[in-house]
Amino acid sequence: MTSMTSTVPQALPRKEVTPIMVGLMAALFTALLSTTIVSTALPTIMAELDGTQREYTWVITASLLMMTVGTPIWGKFADLFNKKLLVQLAILLFIVSSLIAGFAHSIPVMIGARVIQGVSMGGLMALVQAIIGAIVSPRERGKYSGYMAGVMGLATVSGPLLGGVITDELGWRWTYF
């Protein structure tokens, strides 16, 4: 009888997990904040870019739809490729798409940027969970998943408030910058 050994990754010590989690949670917070921060700026964006009611809906829906579609795809990529590299790619995509949205002078460009933002947000959602699974022991995963849920809740609640303040004080473009 042959013995089968599985290659289960070892959990990292807490002192190594903490800085990784802080970085991941900061990236996740920023990406999820962008989903809700735009909601209060959207009437101003539509007025300035001469958007229609249909386009108004798509600016929000494009990112949410692509986040939903992209999450399982990024999850599969996390099984196949280096998770650290994938997180960096997702963050880079998010930054580039945010800059494109912030400098957009038409609604189609804005919607395209929001599509890319959604793809990158889906990546961050899947990859943060995959990395938690890889670096944290099964016994501790619930606690770190709770931190992730807290960050998600905070981003969702603070987005509209922050979006209103930024739009009023700095202009809608700064909701992306």
Side-chain angles (χ1 to χ4, degrees):
M1 181 171 181
T2 61
S3 67
M4 296 185 74
T5 58
S6 66
T7 57
V8 177
Q10 289 290 73
L12 296 177
R14 181 180 293 247
K15 68 179 183 174
E16 292 180 33
V17 169
T18 301
I20 294 169
M21 290 302 296
V22 167
L24 290 174
M25 293 301 120
L28 185 64
F29 178 79
T30 304
L32 291 174
L33 186 70
S34 78
T35 302
T36 57
I37 202 169
V38 173
S39 62
T40 51
L42 208 47
T44 305
I45 294 169
M46 288 296 130
E48 188 172 315
L49 300 181
D50 297 322
T52 65
Q53 186 65 34
R54 179 174 286 171
E55 292 168 331
Y56 182 100
T57 305
W58 275 107
V59 170
I60 297 291
T61 306
S63 65
L64 295 174
L65 180 63
M66 292 312 296
M67 182 172 71
T68 303
V69 170
T71 300
I73 295 168
W74 283 93
K76 182 61 179 175
F77 286 165
D79 291 339
L80 301 173
F81 304 109
N82 183 304
K83 292 173 187 61
K84 181 180 178 180
L85 183 64
L86 289 172
V87 166
Q88 291 169 341
L89 177 62
I91 292 170
L92 181 65
L93 280 173
F94 182 78
I95 291 169
V96 168
S97 61
S98 293
L99 289 172
I100 292 169
F103 287 117
H105 289 287
S106 70
I107 296 298
V109 171
M110 173 73 67
I111 292 171
R114 295 289 289 171
V115 164
I116 299 168
Q117 276 187 326
V119 169
S120 62
M121 286 186 289
L124 286 172
M125 293 288 294
L127 294 166
V128 166
Q129 292 177 46
I131 290 171
I132 288 173
I135 66 172
V136 176
S137 70
R139 178 178 222 112
E140 297 286 312
R141 285 183 195 152
K143 177 171 56 174
Y144 288 99
S145 294
Y147 295 151
M148 181 177 157
V151 165
M152 293 168 68
L154 182 62
T156 302
V157 169
S158 59
L161 175 63
L162 191 57
V165 170
I166 291 171
T167 302
D168 287 346
E169 298 300 320
L170 302 172
W172 69 265
R173 294 184 185 280
W174 286 95
T175 61
Y176 291 104
F177 300 145

